[in-house]
Amino acid sequence: MPFRLAPDATFREALAAADRPLAGMWVCSGSPLVAEICAGSGLDWLLVDAEHSPNGLESILAQLQAVNGYPVTTLVRPPANDTVLIKQYLDLGVQNLLVPMVNTAAEAAAAVAATRYPPHGVRGVGSALARAARWNRIPDYLARAGETISVTVQIESTAAVDAVEDILAVDGVDSIFLGPSDLAASMGLLGEQEHPDVRDAVERCLRAARAAGTPAGVNAFRPDAARGYLEAGASFILVGADVALLARGSEALAAEYTAGGSTGGAPAGY
């Protein structure tokens, strides 16, 4: 039985169709059940993280299956800009990648090449074995796979900020995403992701993206920071994380009903 080409719309298509900035959250627990709860929240998109979270191939697959059919777009962040990992993620059926720590145009081009079959890239061919092609049930998948994939690259260092115009010019980069926490660290401002110099660097990238006609997003958990970046032109934003919501919510219960409660204090970053 043949299947249609793309099981879901790409993040590129979701951004193009939106009449407002898209709001999303991190999914970091590794739990398909938690991912499914988040998928039904009404948010526009989810980011399943494998850079700083306990997610391997099996748990990513289970989460993709759990959120399938919900009205939400799912991105996955690999732990590195690695051709082999990206190949495995794509074969699992990941359609939307957020590639971390992209510092140069060459690194951005490498990320795009990892998502394309030869002669346009270096993705290994294994569609008969892959969920992405529904085990060769999607007609012409090899010829049209690029239509099913979007690439967002993460700008999170001073080097990346300096190279942002060149990164935006790379064919196949569908959007950029600003990471203020790592950017702050690279500026010698560890834990100060809302420092004015960090904000200025983020807003410089937002302006560059707007000039290039490329959507740009930002990670911002504090509502005032999120609103500020939206006013500065962000097309999409991450405003929370499953694990952070559970941590803060459980601390609030402890503070209300026990003598001690959490002694962790306010988080230094996100």
Side-chain angles (χ1 to χ4, degrees):
M1 174 182 174
F3 285 68
R4 63 190 178 94
L5 176 64
D8 299 296
T10 65
F11 194 47
R12 173 180 61 249
E13 293 165 328
L15 288 167
D19 58 1
R20 57 170 175 79
L22 300 184
M25 67 178 291
W26 296 83
V27 178
C28 304
S29 69
S31 165
L33 180 61
V34 172
E36 185 172 4
I37 292 169
C38 296
S41 66
L43 288 166
D44 301 301
W45 65 290
L46 304 178
L47 176 60
V48 177
D49 181 48
E51 184 183 15
H52 295 295
S53 304
N55 273 310
L57 296 175
E58 290 82 1
S59 66
I60 291 170
L61 173 59
Q63 288 170 87
L64 292 176
Q65 292 168 330
V67 305
N68 185 52
Y70 283 87
V72 68
T73 303
T74 303
L75 282 71
V76 181
R77 181 168 73 169
N81 184 6
D82 180 271
T83 300
V84 173
L85 280 173
I86 289 173
K87 171 181 65 179
Q88 291 179 301
Y89 281 32
L90 297 180
D91 284 349
L92 284 182
V94 172
Q95 291 182 253
N96 306 297
L97 287 166
L98 175 63
V99 182
M101 290 292 180
V102 172
N103 297 312
T104 66
E107 292 176 1
V112 173
T115 70
R116 306 291 195 261
Y117 290 121
H120 306 294
V122 297
R123 180 181 175 186
V125 180
S127 58
L129 312 177
R131 178 177 179 267
R134 298 304 186 263
W135 305 278
N136 274 349
R137 290 171 178 162
I138 295 178
D140 300 323
Y141 177 80
L142 292 177
R144 301 176 59 199
E147 299 173 25
T148 73
I149 298 164
S150 75
V151 178
T152 302
V153 299
Q154 196 158 0
I155 307 296
E156 47 187 339
S157 70
T158 54
V161 171
D162 290 342
V164 68
E165 288 85 0
D166 293 334
I167 292 170
L168 287 163
V170 173
D171 186 33
V173 169
D174 296 303
S175 54
I176 63 170
F177 184 73
L178 288 306
S181 291
D182 277 305
L183 178 55
S186 78
M187 297 172 70
L189 297 167
L190 182 64
E192 298 183 60
Q193 64 273 6
E194 295 176 27
H195 190 282
D197 291 346
V198 178
R199 184 182 178 90
D200 286 347
V202 171
E203 292 187 358
R204 172 189 162 186
C205 293
L206 293 176
R207 291 192 297 271
R210 187 164 58 249
T214 301
V218 190
N219 193 50
F221 282 15
R222 289 176 59 90
D224 55 344
R227 285 191 292 268
Y229 285 132
L230 291 171
E231 291 170 1
S235 300
F236 57 103
I237 199 157
L238 282 174
V239 293
D242 55 352
V243 291
L245 291 170
L246 180 58
R248 303 293 85 78
S250 58
E251 289 161 7
L253 290 174
E256 179 73 19
Y257 295 108
T258 73
S262 173
T263 58
Y270 46 75

